[in-house]
Amino acid sequence: MAARAIGAGKVTTKEEILDAAETLFAARGFEGASMRAIAEAAGVAQALLHYHYRTKEGLFEAMFLRRSGAINRIRLARLDVMSARGRPSVEDIVEALLRPTIEAGHDPSGGGGRFASLILAVSTAEGEWQKGLVARSYDPMAERFIDALMGALPGLDRANATWGYLFIVGAALTQMAPTGRADRLSAGAASDVDSDAMLARAVIFAAAGLRALAADTAAEHGHSH
Amino acid sequence: MAARAIGAGKVTTKEEILDAAETLFAARGFEGASMRAIAEAAGVAQALLHYHYRTKEGLFEAMFLRRSGAINRIRLARLDVMSARGRPSVEDIVEALLRPTIEAGHDPSGGGGRFASLILAVSTAEGEWQKGLVARSYDPMAERFIDALMGALPGLDRANATWGYLFIVGAALTQMAPTGRADRLSAGAASDVDSDAMLARAVIFAAAGLRALAADTAAEHGHSH
DNA sequence: GTCTATAGTTCGATAGAC
DNA sequence: GTCTATCGAACTATAGAC
């Protein structure tokens, strides 16, 4: 039925503009997507984009915060539910972290699985406003998940929990964009279209990696003290 | 003395253009970096870029293939040396895969640690010529490392070895770009400026993740047959 | 809130002198 | 091989009618 995953009520013009912006920014990058092309994709005049979002930068920020906010609310809600039931496992935490972004990719209104590319582009950009956007959007959520990882793995210190968190997000995000590389390199045995299979592997991979980092931390502390 | 890491002889104008292109493309992306800005950074007239590389796309390809070729030659040479001495460990394979890209980041002539962002941008771009560029540059090397991983971990099938390879590359590449996120999220306990510390963690994380994927493969085959 | 029209800038690429 | 000068197209953003 393809119900909208963001916003409950009627689809406004402002949201249609954000949808078009998300698709085009994800496909062509910030500089590669023009206001003209976004306006055309949204079926409105170009001047309307400036009326609603002032500048191209403003439009990008609004688009980015809408999607990242929706994803992070789901992530934290799942973490809260799990924590209320007792101490969650590493696997549960990793799944709560990764699955909402994958499911956002299934949302037909949005970038169609390409929001992951957008996050990567923004986080590696050099512009100050883009670094700030990443920090505002993701740091509070990231800190909560890093804390949760330390809670699930006694012996994992903050440095290793942070590395682990960043490794997991980097590993998963780079596989969410539909590049076709998995299919080609595995001769069809793995497919980046099958995001559920990817997620299952990522959880196994990440949980084992985190446990190894925790064991290494404990070993080092044992040696030096 | 900051000797050049690419090319042995005198620094030609063509190479100076490639150096400037690498820095600017990495910092601002393909559309964000203009031929004007690259020419100015290289200290030559803009028309000279077109004389040597025909189009902006041609310049980008030449720049990308120079650096990726240099990195991949080192990777494969290390893998060959290790393989000649016996069966290399998972840790050795992962280190041979990741360290050359980190060391390319130390090369003062190049993108200064930002070539990693460039690889991420190209691999997640939608353009056909960019996907083709990634395939030509990296697939043959990737296949050799996937084979090596399967050789080091009996029980790891091709699908899991491919996922593992892609997870490792994605996890490491996203941490090589100097975003400052590690410092901020860990309150200074981890730093993305210290690439050696990052590499040590990445090797531990990746090796454990791969072993877990191998164990899972074996368990599945045991169940279903 | 939405449109048409356009100002002002920057872009990739080429012509042609040296 | 390197330069200056410039063309034509595309860009962001705004003015002003409805």
Side-chain angles (χ1 to χ4, degrees):
Chain A
M1 272 288 288
R4 292 185 49 79
I6 292 186
K10 208 170 125 292
V11 181
T12 67
T13 301
K14 283 188 73 168
E15 283 170 333
E16 284 178 338
I17 293 172
L18 291 185
D19 290 346
E22 183 169 337
T23 302
L24 283 171
F25 278 133
R28 308 185 195 170
F30 178 76
E31 341 264 353
S34 72
M35 297 292 269
R36 279 173 157 75
I38 294 171
E40 188 180 10
V44 299
Q46 187 193 342
L48 202 57
L49 274 57
H50 287 98
Y51 171 78
H52 283 300
Y53 300 103
R54 196 65 182 164
T55 63
K56 186 180 187 181
E57 220 172 280
L59 171 59
F60 187 91
E61 278 205 22
M63 172 277 300
F64 192 82
L65 290 173
R66 177 184 71 153
R67 182 70 62 181
S68 64
I71 291 173
N72 287 340
R73 273 191 295 277
I74 299 174
R75 283 170 159 167
L76 290 174
R78 294 193 186 177
L79 186 60
D80 286 339
V81 168
M82 293 186 324
S83 301
R85 285 193 195 134
R87 184 179 295 184
S89 70
V90 191
E91 280 81 0
D92 288 341
I93 297 171
V94 173
E95 174 135 352
L97 176 65
L98 298 184
R99 189 177 281 282
T101 304
I102 290 180
E103 286 171 352
H106 298 157
D107 183 350
S109 82
R114 289 193 292 260
F115 188 67
S117 332
L118 227 154
I119 303 174
L120 286 173
V122 180
S123 4
T124 59
E126 70 151 8
E128 275 315 309
W129 71 271
Q130 294 179 304
K131 285 190 183 179
L133 187 55
V134 172
R136 272 191 292 147
S137 311
Y138 289 108
D139 281 6
M141 177 277 301
E143 278 166 23
R144 292 235 14 231
F145 272 87
I146 289 170
D147 286 343
L149 289 176
M150 292 195 299
L153 287 175
L156 190 68
D157 62 17
R158 182 160 292 277
N160 279 292
T162 304
W163 283 127
Y165 170 86
L166 292 172
F167 288 154
I168 294 168
V169 171
L173 277 182
T174 50
Q175 304 323 309
M176 289 181 195
T179 64
R181 281 202 93 209
D183 301 74
R184 207 168 53 234
L185 287 175
S186 70
S191 169
D192 44 12
V193 174
D194 186 355
S195 50
D196 281 331
M198 191 276 285
L199 178 60
R201 307 307 188 188
V203 170
I204 293 171
F205 186 87
L210 286 167
R211 291 199 173 93
L213 286 182
D216 184 67
T217 306
E220 270 191 27
H221 288 189
H223 274 299
S224 54
H225 300 328
Chain B
M1 249 315 284
R4 293 184 49 79
I6 293 184
K10 210 169 123 291
V11 181
T12 67
T13 301
K14 284 189 71 168
E15 282 171 333
E16 283 178 340
I17 293 173
L18 290 185
D19 290 346
E22 183 169 338
T23 302
L24 282 172
F25 278 133
R28 309 186 195 170
F30 178 75
E31 341 264 352
S34 72
M35 296 293 270
R36 279 174 159 75
I38 294 170
E40 188 180 10
V44 300
Q46 187 193 343
L48 201 57
L49 274 59
H50 288 97
Y51 171 77
H52 282 301
Y53 300 103
R54 194 66 181 164
T55 64
K56 187 180 186 181
E57 217 173 283
L59 172 59
F60 187 91
E61 276 206 23
M63 172 277 300
F64 192 82
L65 290 173
R66 177 185 71 154
R67 181 71 62 183
S68 64
I71 291 173
N72 288 341
R73 273 190 295 278
I74 299 173
R75 283 170 159 167
L76 290 174
R78 294 193 186 178
L79 187 60
D80 286 339
V81 168
M82 294 187 323
S83 302
R85 285 195 194 134
R87 184 179 294 184
S89 70
V90 191
E91 281 82 0
D92 287 341
I93 297 171
V94 173
E95 174 135 352
L97 177 65
L98 298 184
R99 190 178 281 281
T101 304
I102 291 180
E103 287 172 353
H106 297 158
D107 182 351
S109 81
R114 288 193 292 260
F115 188 67
S117 333
L118 226 155
I119 303 174
L120 286 173
V122 179
S123 9
T124 59
E126 71 150 9
E128 276 316 308
W129 71 273
Q130 294 178 304
K131 286 190 182 179
L133 188 55
V134 172
R136 272 190 292 146
S137 311
Y138 289 108
D139 281 5
M141 177 276 302
E143 278 167 23
R144 294 239 8 235
F145 271 88
I146 290 171
D147 287 343
L149 289 176
M150 293 196 298
L153 286 176
L156 189 69
D157 62 17
R158 182 159 293 277
N160 279 293
T162 304
W163 283 127
Y165 170 85
L166 292 172
F167 288 156
I168 293 168
V169 171
L173 277 183
T174 51
Q175 305 322 309
M176 288 181 196
T179 64
R181 281 201 92 209
D183 301 75
R184 208 170 50 237
L185 287 175
S186 70
S191 170
D192 44 12
V193 174
D194 186 355
S195 51
D196 281 330
M198 191 277 285
L199 178 59
R201 306 307 187 190
V203 169
I204 293 171
F205 185 87
L210 286 168
R211 292 199 172 93
L213 287 182
D216 184 66
T217 306
E220 269 190 28
H221 288 189
H223 275 299
S224 54
H225 300 329

